[in-house]
Amino acid sequence: MATRKNSNDDPLAPVTIAVGQEDLLLDRAVQQVVAAARASDADTDVRDLTADQVQPGTLAELTSPSLFAERKVVIVRNAQDLSADTIKDVKAYLTAPVEEITLVLLHPGGAKGKGLLDAARKAGAREVACPKTTKPAERLTFVRSEFRAIGRSATPEACQALVDSIGSDLRELASAVSQLAADVEGTIDEEVVGRYYTGRAEASSFNVADRAVEGRTAEALEALRWSLSTGVAPVLITSALAQGVRAIGKLSSARGGRPADLARELGMPPWKIDRVRQQMRGWTPDGVAVALRAVAEADAGVKGGGDDPEYALEKAVVTIARVARSRR
């Protein structure tokens, strides 16, 4: 989610710099400024320009006083690509911005065009950070904030399932949150997410793994066949199986403690600690070793070491489920 870099949080500040490479957050930073300007003046003139459209003298022309004193928003995308002469114009403008005009500069960060960013910061520009989300935990935080922003409640398991299902695209995650909020009444839980997105690759593969480590052979095989029929890559399924078995091994060998403490020690979210605890009943270290060997054999089978990837996966699922059931 976009975060503020200074205390100036007025969208109608004379200058806003949106810094980062996450397109959704950059677009939202622009939309917030435009919405605030139009709330103040419905006739606000919005000029949305790329760097190549801003030549020396263009900014002066766009920000020259109007006879009608209209409010204006000037947006410059990819500001790092502005020419040296145009950057001089922008730097000069930063020292004396025009009243009723809001300038928005979009910049990915980094070394190119850093002088312009430094000048804007020195001039006291409002800054919105729009960093690329590269970690699953960041995407989970984003989903939670999306639900909070629209006043809806979603369980931690539902948020995690949505991230597992959708992947790394924030636009798709935001769209999924909006769809669930529009279609579902009350608290959104993991079952609802599974019902909507069970055909997604990651959701399907983790569903196979969950059923297998719980010893539910028939359900695991059904989930496996569904996943393969909907185009899920076999390597995603072996990866999910490996993660499921390894999680049980890690938790079974960890020191006892509260979920929060174990989460920090093992690098898992607390809700997953609770789930794995339920799944690991009956598992032994020998069982984990057997299951991991089965996953390794399946992985080799789906990567060209065997003639029938589907059979290799079915064999691994049956083995894992049998190990899970053996002491229950």
Side-chain angles (χ1 to χ4, degrees):
M1 186 176 178
T3 55
R4 309 302 175 202
K5 296 288 287 186
N6 59 35
S7 59
N8 181 5
D9 198 29
D10 180 7
L12 294 181
V15 180
T16 287
I17 50 176
V19 185
Q21 300 179 40
E22 187 58 68
D23 290 340
L24 173 66
L25 301 184
L26 290 166
D27 286 346
R28 285 185 173 181
V30 170
Q31 290 164 8
Q32 184 187 34
V33 172
V34 172
R38 286 182 168 155
S40 175
D41 181 352
D43 295 325
T44 294
D45 181 17
V46 177
R47 304 294 181 91
D48 195 335
L49 308 169
T50 57
D52 62 323
Q53 294 175 303
V54 185
Q55 302 299 322
T58 301
L59 186 61
E61 179 182 343
L62 291 173
T63 58
S64 60
S66 167
L67 291 176
F68 303 101
E70 64 182 357
R71 180 173 288 281
K72 185 179 295 185
V73 175
V74 178
I75 303 151
V76 180
R77 298 179 184 270
N78 301 313
Q80 78 280 2
D81 293 332
L82 291 171
S83 69
D85 287 339
T86 304
I87 287 176
K88 289 180 182 178
D89 287 352
V90 176
K91 286 181 176 180
Y93 178 82
L94 293 173
T95 63
V98 178
E99 191 176 352
E100 298 297 309
I101 293 179
T102 299
L103 174 64
V104 183
L105 302 174
L106 275 60
H107 193 293
K112 188 177 182 181
K114 187 174 182 297
L116 178 58
L117 279 184
D118 291 342
R121 287 165 175 153
K122 185 176 180 180
R126 168 180 176 264
E127 182 170 349
V128 182
C130 305
K132 198 75 175 175
T133 55
T134 58
K135 299 178 181 178
E138 295 171 342
R139 294 191 283 273
L140 184 59
T141 298
F142 173 79
V143 168
R144 288 171 174 166
S145 68
E146 288 291 288
F147 278 118
R148 283 197 301 270
I150 57 179
R152 293 301 304 273
S153 175
T155 66
E157 295 84 354
C159 293
Q160 183 64 55
L162 200 57
V163 172
D164 291 340
S165 301
I166 301 299
S168 60
D169 192 310
L170 289 198
R171 290 189 190 278
E172 289 196 23
L173 284 169
S175 176
V177 168
S178 296
Q179 180 183 17
L180 289 169
D183 293 354
V184 179
E185 295 182 358
T187 299
I188 295 164
D189 59 19
E190 185 181 17
E191 182 181 351
V192 169
V193 175
R195 191 162 66 243
Y196 270 72
Y197 298 103
T198 189
R200 302 300 289 253
E202 295 87 347
S204 296
S205 59
F206 283 110
N207 191 38
V208 174
D210 284 341
R211 301 295 82 78
V213 299
E214 291 163 4
R216 296 154 66 176
T217 308
E219 293 178 37
L221 289 173
E222 181 182 359
L224 172 62
R225 289 161 190 151
W226 168 257
S227 296
L228 294 173
S229 71
T230 56
V232 177
V235 291
L236 287 178
I237 299 173
T238 55
S239 175
L241 289 170
Q243 289 183 51
V245 175
R246 288 189 189 120
I248 288 173
K250 288 167 66 175
L251 188 56
S252 62
S253 61
R255 298 185 301 273
R258 298 177 305 169
D261 296 330
L262 288 170
R264 285 191 292 271
E265 180 183 343
L266 302 178
M268 299 180 189
W271 69 264
K272 189 169 184 180
I273 297 291
D274 291 334
R275 170 183 285 179
V276 176
R277 272 180 168 165
Q278 295 174 4
Q279 293 175 334
M280 65 185 282
R281 287 180 296 143
W283 280 83
T284 65
D286 287 343
V288 170
V290 168
L292 286 175
R293 282 197 297 272
V295 173
E297 290 174 4
D299 191 54
V302 303
K303 291 179 178 176
D307 297 328
D308 191 342
E310 184 173 341
Y311 172 73
L313 286 169
E314 287 185 358
K315 183 179 177 182
V317 165
V318 169
T319 300
I320 293 168
R322 184 174 64 245
V323 170
R325 292 198 319 272
S326 62
R327 291 179 178 268
R328 294 194 178 197

